[in-house]
Amino acid sequence: MNYQPIENYAIIGDLNTIALVGLNGSIDFLCFPFYDSPSIFAALLDHKKGGYFKIHPIIQEKVKNKQMYLPGTNILLTRFLSADGVGEITDYMPIEGMVHGNELVRRVSCIRGSIRFKMECKPRFNYGRDNHIAHKRDHNFEILFESQGESHLKLRLKSSVPMHTSENDGYAEFILNEGERADFILEDISKEDPPDISLGDFITKTFFETVKYWRDWVSKSTYKGRWLEAIQRSALTLKLLCSGRFGSIIASPTFGLPEFIGGNRNWDYRYSWIRDSAFCLYALVKTGYTKESQAFVKWIHYQCHDIENPGHLHLMYSQAGYNNPQEITLDHFEGYKGSAPVRIGNNANKQLQLDIYGELLDSVYLYNKYVEPISHDFWNNLVFQINWLIDNWKREDNGIWEVRGKEKHFLFSRLMCWVAFDRAIKIAESRSFPFPETWKIERNKIYQSIYNEFWDEDLKGFVQYQGAKTVDASCLFMPIVKFISPIDPRWLQTMDAIEKELVSDSLVYRYIPEVAAPDGLGGKEGTFSMCTFWYVECLSRSGQLEKAQFYFEKMLGYANHVGLFSEQLGFMGEHLGNFPQAFSHAGLISAALNLNAQLNKQGKTDSIPQFFL
């Protein structure tokens, strides 16, 4: 009972960071003030040492908990329903620019009856490694929490009800009758104190401004098809992962959540992967959200200085464009449900993953086609990278899944190198940019290489790497990037092999670690949500529309109570891995867009699926 299921959480954010809010009213994860800052709340990773900010009713009878977002926003309502009354917490973070920035707002209301609430604010600075002091001000309506570590982070908790401190933590108990409310705001005052205005006025003002911001943003969507609510929630989730300050896109707001309970596959995803960002940009651009792609291309061009250095492009960066920190373990954290080690930083940054060149060029291709023409200088930077790839696409690497074992010639890496040349040629031809004829020669060489070196006649499918005897879910990307026709006999045979080896009740494993490329780690993992959406898209592209729709809608049923997906799903549908995952939501949007288009093209109406009868 010390740990809630991962799927019990919803998220709020301000385009600088994201907080996870549990059904029980507890904020159990928040890195502050930025996505990749040290955590101040991390009870999700250690319920004793991580810290949390909890508001809940003190009721003896059974309480039913509910959560929902205000429609079209990232403003969260958490409800407590009991025989004594109904209470509600409104949680949100005002977008930077509206106000000082880095504020967390919690408004507690009594909807019916009379309820006694308890507030507990227990920050644990620097991943729980630094001590802090707390002292009350303003007649007990304000508490200052000051880190004693090198960061000197200073937080101010303001309240409309009196608070007290004990062992440097903040507490309050208060009774609300029907129609009454209590307000709390936690803010960063490390550099300067925000303007001192009425707490109630501040929250009322920023609430309406935040509602307007999110609904104005949602209104820019051009998508009007099926599954609109799921697509809208996925787009809102991706937007929360877009850095408002820098333009980078974060893979996930969390670190250390396990891919298998008790396992050691616990990674830090609070960085901007070139690969993940490209998939997210596709999903956002195709639904009408183009400003995010403008911000990302600007970030790549001006913040990510490696774009100017051929061959030095890393697969991930901090949100500000720097190399991410070296991977270390937080040995003092026990991990989610005892799943240690808890890691911060990510040593996969040192790996060679050749597929990122394809994802980068594909995102630039989409930007140049659907948003605005790229500049001369940016094109020259890309030319340097493509020319480097001419001499290096044949190298072994660590692949999309960042295996920590021996480097190999992975199919997905080879495929995305083909994409890099193909999209570079398409950009050049559409803009009449000069480019060497060797690009076409190398693209054709890669094409032949994939058919000659990655097709296994015994398996009747494309294999994970040269010499392998097993498939990999990443090859589901082959028809999506238009390398192969979705109805090509070789592709349909590969789909059959994937279904036999990797599909379980419509859910897809990315590979089987025991028989695939050794990834340098033991343990198991769940099915990969993004791969399931890729599988659905491949089904729809191949014309298997009833099957695709049935599996897609079945997959939507695995979303949590507010429509969020983690990285993976376990045997009982439990969410595993970092949460929420940009990959998963980008895959959902892409699959939905294609399936909706195919259904419209075929003039299909929604019907009871017949394929499994």
Side-chain angles (χ1 to χ4, degrees):
M1 297 300 293
N2 292 324
Y3 294 95
Q4 292 193 76
I6 294 172
E7 60 268 24
N8 274 22
Y9 289 90
I11 60 172
I12 57 174
D14 61 357
L15 309 184
N16 285 314
T17 190
I18 285 176
L20 271 62
V21 187
L23 270 167
N24 63 351
S26 183
I27 295 177
D28 289 340
F29 189 93
L30 173 60
C31 295
F32 200 73
F34 301 110
Y35 304 100
D36 52 3
S37 297
S39 62
I40 58 170
F41 303 126
L44 190 59
L45 297 170
D46 193 301
H47 68 100
K48 294 180 180 178
K49 301 175 183 177
Y52 58 87
F53 184 5
K54 185 176 184 180
I55 302 174
H56 60 100
I58 306 173
I59 302 175
Q60 298 300 320
E61 290 80 7
K62 185 175 182 180
V63 177
K64 183 180 292 185
N65 302 73
K66 296 284 187 181
Q67 266 184 340
M68 62 169 286
Y69 285 107
L70 284 182
T73 78
N74 280 310
I75 295 175
L76 182 69
L77 302 182
T78 303
R79 288 177 173 165
F80 307 95
L81 301 96
S82 73
D84 292 339
V86 175
E88 185 174 271
I89 304 174
T90 303
D91 285 314
Y92 66 95
M93 299 179 74
I95 305 301
E96 184 176 9
M98 292 181 184
V99 286
H100 178 73
N102 301 130
E103 293 101 355
L104 170 62
V105 175
R106 313 200 74 183
R107 169 164 278 181
V108 189
S109 305
C110 181
I111 309 301
R112 179 180 60 79
S114 179
I115 303 177
R116 177 183 290 274
F117 287 92
K118 183 175 183 179
M119 184 280 297
E120 305 168 76
C121 186
K122 299 185 176 184
R124 297 294 181 264
F125 292 87
N126 191 19
Y127 306 109
R129 297 180 296 188
D130 291 348
N131 294 323
H132 70 278
I133 59 173
H135 53 274
K136 295 178 289 183
R137 299 196 316 185
D138 191 23
H139 306 288
N140 298 334
F141 289 94
E142 184 174 306
I143 300 175
L144 290 187
F145 300 98
E146 296 185 62
S147 171
Q148 301 300 289
E150 293 181 0
S151 69
H152 302 295
L153 184 62
K154 185 189 298 184
L155 304 178
R156 178 170 69 183
L157 177 63
K158 296 182 68 175
S159 171
S160 61
V161 298
M163 300 178 288
H164 65 274
T165 59
S166 175
E167 297 181 349
N168 290 313
D169 294 326
Y171 299 90
E173 288 192 16
F174 51 96
I175 296 175
L176 295 180
N177 297 312
E178 185 172 322
E180 295 180 337
R181 65 194 184 201
D183 293 329
F184 299 87
I185 178 171
L186 184 69
E187 54 192 342
D188 179 10
I189 59 169
S190 302
K191 297 179 180 178
E192 58 179 332
D193 282 5
D196 193 12
I197 62 175
S198 164
L199 184 59
D201 292 344
F202 173 89
I203 292 179
T204 299
K205 176 179 181 291
T206 58
F207 172 79
F208 287 108
E209 288 178 341
T210 306
V211 169
K212 184 178 186 303
Y213 174 88
W214 287 116
R215 288 184 174 167
D216 285 349
W217 186 83
V218 163
S219 70
K220 294 178 174 60
S221 174
T222 56
Y223 182 77
K224 309 298 180 185
R226 300 167 177 82
W227 315 293
L228 187 59
E229 185 175 345
I231 288 182
Q232 186 180 92
R233 179 50 52 195
S234 290
L236 283 163
T237 302
L238 294 182
K239 177 60 176 175
L240 274 181
L241 291 164
C242 295
S243 170
R245 182 169 297 192
F246 299 104
S248 51
I249 302 176
I250 308 305
S252 179
T254 58
F255 63 89
L257 290 175
E259 298 177 7
F260 193 83
I261 302 302
N264 65 346
R265 298 168 180 266
N266 317 317
W267 311 112
D268 186 351
Y269 284 175
R270 297 171 299 153
Y271 307 107
S272 183
W273 266 255
I274 300 295
R275 176 190 306 117
D276 301 48
S277 300
F279 295 157
C280 293
L281 285 183
Y282 174 84
L284 290 170
V285 167
K286 297 296 280 187
T287 46
Y289 302 110
T290 57
K291 285 190 175 180
E292 288 67 33
S293 63
Q294 291 174 314
F296 178 76
V297 168
K298 183 178 179 180
W299 175 76
I300 283 285
H301 191 188
Y302 296 107
Q303 296 289 136
C304 180
H305 301 297
D306 287 337
I307 196 67
E308 301 174 359
N309 302 312
H312 288 82
L313 191 66
H314 286 78
L315 65 145
M316 72 181 85
Y317 295 90
S318 72
Q319 62 177 329
Y322 303 111
N323 290 340
N324 65 292
Q326 181 178 353
E327 185 177 299
I328 63 172
T329 60
L330 301 178
D331 294 328
H332 62 291
F333 277 179
E334 71 173 19
Y336 177 76
K337 293 187 177 181
S339 302
V342 175
R343 298 180 177 91
I344 56 174
N346 199 313
N347 282 347
N349 188 44
K350 301 175 182 178
Q351 295 181 352
L352 176 66
Q353 296 182 19
L354 292 169
D355 63 285
I356 62 172
Y357 293 91
E359 284 120 11
L360 173 63
L361 265 295
D362 196 47
S363 63
V364 175
Y365 166 76
L366 291 171
Y367 176 85
N368 184 77
K369 183 176 181 178
Y370 293 108
V371 183
E372 63 183 13
I374 62 173
S375 69
H376 167 79
D377 290 336
F378 187 40
W379 170 249
N380 282 341
N381 289 335
L382 296 173
V383 168
F384 295 150
Q385 299 291 347
I386 294 297
N387 286 338
W388 177 87
L389 201 59
I390 289 174
D391 298 320
N392 290 276
W393 64 261
K394 294 181 180 180
R395 293 173 60 180
E396 296 179 325
D397 72 346
N398 299 92
I400 180 177
W401 307 129
E402 300 173 1
V403 298
R404 299 196 174 195
K406 188 178 183 299
E407 293 181 346
K408 294 182 180 293
H409 294 291
F410 284 102
L411 169 62
F412 188 81
S413 299
R414 193 63 54 90
L415 171 69
M416 297 311 291
C417 286
W418 177 88
V419 170
F421 286 108
D422 183 72
R423 302 311 191 255
I425 293 167
K426 284 180 167 61
I427 294 170
E429 291 178 338
S430 70
R431 296 287 305 281
S432 298
F433 288 145
F435 69 96
E437 191 65 23
T438 51
W439 288 6
K440 289 186 177 181
I441 295 172
E442 296 304 315
R443 181 184 65 176
N444 295 341
K445 286 181 180 178
I446 297 173
Y447 183 89
Q448 296 298 336
S449 167
I450 291 175
Y451 275 97
N452 295 333
E453 300 170 22
F454 293 89
W455 174 262
D456 186 274
E457 190 61 35
D458 296 329
L459 182 68
K460 297 296 183 185
F462 290 101
V463 293
Q464 183 187 36
Y465 59 90
Q466 282 186 21
K469 290 294 181 180
T470 185
V471 291
D472 184 303
S474 65
C475 74
L476 289 165
F477 219 52
M478 295 175 75
I480 295 176
V481 296
K482 297 180 171 56
F483 175 85
I484 191 172
S485 165
I487 58 173
D488 186 292
R490 290 204 190 197
W491 174 248
L492 295 177
Q493 289 176 318
T494 302
M495 281 280 284
D496 288 342
I498 290 173
E499 289 177 334
K500 291 176 183 176
E501 290 192 18
L502 301 179
V503 177
S504 174
D505 188 32
S506 79
L507 301 178
V508 181
Y509 292 93
R510 54 182 179 171
Y511 57 87
I512 305 300
E514 294 84 358
V515 298
D519 56 15
L521 296 165
K524 302 177 180 178
E525 62 178 31
T527 59
F528 215 73
S529 298
M530 177 187 62
C531 294
T532 301
F533 289 121
W534 284 356
Y535 174 52
V536 167
E537 185 164 351
C538 287
L539 288 173
S540 68
R541 286 176 180 269
S542 68
Q544 302 177 67
L545 298 184
E546 283 191 353
K547 187 174 181 180
Q549 183 173 355
F550 179 66
Y551 281 174
F552 179 72
E553 291 174 345
K554 202 172 185 182
M555 183 61 178
L556 292 183
Y558 285 102
N560 80 343
H561 58 289
V562 289
L564 302 181
F565 282 92
S566 63
E567 179 184 16
Q568 301 184 23
L569 293 168
F571 297 134
M572 295 184 291
E574 71 273 23
H575 287 225
L576 297 170
N578 286 294
F579 173 89
Q581 185 83 348
F583 247 168
S584 301
H585 288 279
L588 183 156
I589 293 175
S590 181
L593 292 177
N594 185 267
L595 180 54
N596 182 71
Q598 296 288 347
L599 289 168
N600 290 342
K601 184 178 179 181
Q602 297 295 324
K604 297 284 187 179
T605 57
D606 297 343
S607 60
I608 299 173
Q610 303 294 319
F611 73 91
F612 62 94
L613 298 179

